[in-house]
Amino acid sequence: EVQLVDSGGGLVQPGGSLSLSCAASGFTLSGYWMSWVRQAPGKGLEWVANINHEGSEKYYVDSVKGRFTISRDNSKNSLYLQMNTLRVEDTAVYYCARPLYSSGWAGFEYWGLGTLVTVSS
Amino acid sequence: QSALTQPRSVSGSPGQSVTISCTGTSSNVGGYNYVSWYQHHPGKAPKLIIYDVNKRPSGVPDRFSGSKSGNAASLTISGLQADDEADYFCCSYAGSYTFVVFGGGTELTVL
């Protein structure tokens, strides 16, 4: 059974840092590019970042470029999101997500339960 | 404000059909046949129910169907069941720079 378990969320002050993790099981992580998606309170979902299979290519939504870093350790079946210089508007539930196909795009087939990040003073 | 526009809520009685709309632009919904739909029960992981506009992943009943016309996509749920009560959100590929955009979500109430 495929499972994605997000963790690492919490309360942090503006300007602070937080590191999220996503533990993958039930499939070979190295076979898929992966993503982080977030949902702010009362708002719709927003794609945050992508990383390719080997971790050599990374893409970000403009609002987090230079502040967030996506990474992966395929040997540990884990995906990460390092979030620095956090802003109030980064407050959201963060989900790791796996696409339906190992390459190309059709949709996110598997999602984690999400981890809540609250940025507040 | 989300890039794709969905109604905030829809409702229907058991056995009835409901349709949820998802309106975008030629830069997303209208430009690609990569619309996907997700069912999200609070506290659970979102579930992919439609991809590539009208395809169903294995295990998703054929009561769920998707379509697209121009810049608008739709999800139709027929034979409503109590367990269908959830949030539904649409998603569209939007090019290599933007990647994907989502709708704001629609809360489905089964009366």
Side-chain angles (χ1 to χ4, degrees):
Chain A
E1 180 193 5
V2 171
Q3 277 197 320
L4 297 172
V5 180
D6 323 279
S7 62
L11 174 63
V12 61
Q13 291 188 335
S17 298
L18 211 54
S19 181
L20 305 185
S21 298
C22 172
S25 61
F27 69 102
T28 303
L29 185 65
S30 61
Y32 293 84
W33 56 272
M34 295 291 292
S35 298
W36 286 97
V37 177
R38 67 184 178 183
Q39 184 171 29
K43 302 246 176 116
L45 290 157
E46 178 184 42
W47 165 74
V48 175
N50 281 355
I51 187 168
N52 71 341
H53 306 62
E54 306 83 12
S56 58
E57 296 179 20
K58 305 174 184 182
Y59 305 92
Y60 303 92
V61 67
D62 283 347
S63 59
V64 309
K65 282 179 182 174
R67 301 188 299 121
F68 289 13
T69 301
I70 187 172
S71 61
R72 63 194 296 160
D73 187 336
N74 290 335
S75 67
K76 295 182 178 178
N77 291 319
S78 293
L79 177 71
Y80 307 100
L81 186 67
Q82 176 65 40
M83 304 184 295
N84 298 330
T85 320
L86 281 160
R87 304 169 179 166
V88 171
E89 54 265 34
D90 294 320
T91 294
V93 175
Y94 285 74
Y95 299 92
C96 65
R98 196 207 84 174
L100 177 64
Y101 298 135
S102 59
S103 63
W105 167 254
F108 290 118
E109 183 177 19
Y110 293 102
W111 300 64
L113 290 176
T115 186
L116 176 62
V117 172
T118 303
V119 185
S120 174
S121 55
Chain B
Q1 190 167 351
S2 299
L4 305 181
T5 301
Q6 296 181 235
R8 280 198 175 268
S9 63
V10 297
S11 63
S13 300
Q16 287 187 332
S17 295
V18 294
T19 297
I20 299 172
S21 60
C22 172
T23 304
T25 69
S26 58
S27 297
N28 41 65
V29 174
Y32 308 93
N33 287 321
Y34 294 130
V35 176
S36 49
W37 288 89
Y38 303 84
Q39 178 190 63
H40 190 198
H41 287 105
K44 293 191 174 182
K47 176 184 178 182
L48 176 67
I49 54 174
I50 294 289
Y51 67 98
D52 289 356
V53 176
N54 55 15
K55 298 176 182 175
R56 285 185 306 277
S58 174
V60 174
D62 59 6
R63 300 187 298 106
F64 295 88
S65 62
S67 64
K68 190 188 91 164
S69 177
N71 295 336
S74 296
L75 171 71
T76 297
I77 309 171
S78 59
L80 271 178
Q81 300 178 0
D83 190 52
D84 296 335
E85 189 162 287
D87 292 324
Y88 292 83
F89 51 92
C90 60
C91 174
S92 174
Y93 183 72
S96 58
Y97 185 78
T98 306
F99 183 49
V100 295
V101 290
F102 291 91
T106 298
E107 182 181 11
L108 169 62
T109 300
V110 180
L111 302 170

